[in-house]
Amino acid sequence: MQSSARRDTSGRLAITTESGKTYFSNGVCQCEAYRRSTACKHRALFRLYAIASEIEETVPEAVSLADDVAASDRKTLIVEIKAAWPKSWGPIEVELLRRFRCSDLNFFAEDVLRDIRLAIAA
Ligand SMILES: [Zn+2]
C-alpha cells in the first residue's frame, strides 16, 4: 500500500500511511507518535503542505517576454513597438524605412513584428 495525502473539506490533511491507516492532521493528530510526544510525521507533512500552498499562492506566474510577445496579436505588437521604440534608434519611420524599406508597421509580417519587438527589449 502506497502512502498518500490529500486535503479533506475542512482543510485537514488526510494522510493514508503504508499500513492503510488514515490520519487527519491539522496541527493535532490521532496517531501513536503524536500521543506520545506530539512529534509525528503527519503533523510535519501537514505543515509542509501549508507552506507549499502558501508559496503557490504568493509566487506570481512568471511570464517571459518571449512568451508574452508570442501570444500578442499584431495590433498589440505595433502599439508596443511604437511605445517602446528607443529614442537612441532615431525616428521610427526613418529607421524602419532604412532597415526594411517600409515605414508603416501595418505592412509588416507578424513574425517580423515579433522580431522587432524582441530586438527592442534586448
Ligand atoms: Zn500523526
Side-chain angles (χ1 to χ4, degrees):
M1 173 118 193
Q2 276 276 303
S3 58
S4 67
R6 62 186 160 74
R7 289 245 187 223
D8 72 4
T9 49
S10 60
R12 294 182 309 180
L13 194 62
I15 301 155
T16 304
T17 60
E18 297 86 345
S19 65
K21 271 190 178 167
T22 298
Y23 301 99
F24 296 93
S25 181
N26 62 352
V28 297
C29 194
Q30 308 83 45
C31 77
E32 193 56 42
Y34 180 78
R35 267 197 290 275
R36 283 200 306 263
S37 68
T38 78
C40 77
K41 61 182 178 184
H42 313 112
R43 279 179 77 225
L45 193 61
F46 172 80
R47 185 74 194 118
L48 204 61
Y49 261 61
I51 292 167
S53 56
E54 261 172 48
I55 292 169
E56 277 167 23
E57 280 163 21
T58 53
V59 175
E61 205 178 316
V63 177
S64 74
L65 180 71
D67 289 343
D68 184 47
V69 168
S72 300
D73 59 17
R74 54 181 298 123
K75 203 176 146 199
T76 305
L77 290 167
I78 290 170
V79 169
E80 285 181 352
I81 288 168
K82 285 179 176 169
W85 189 263
K87 279 201 172 70
S88 62
W89 289 11
I92 186 167
E93 294 81 6
V94 174
E95 193 58 21
L96 290 175
L97 200 59
R98 193 177 72 76
R99 289 196 203 188
F100 302 101
R101 301 183 185 283
C102 176
S103 63
D104 190 342
L105 287 170
N106 290 299
F107 292 113
F108 282 65
E110 212 164 299
D111 58 331
V112 176
L113 291 173
R114 293 206 164 89
D115 287 347
I116 295 171
R117 176 71 188 89
L118 288 171
I120 290 172

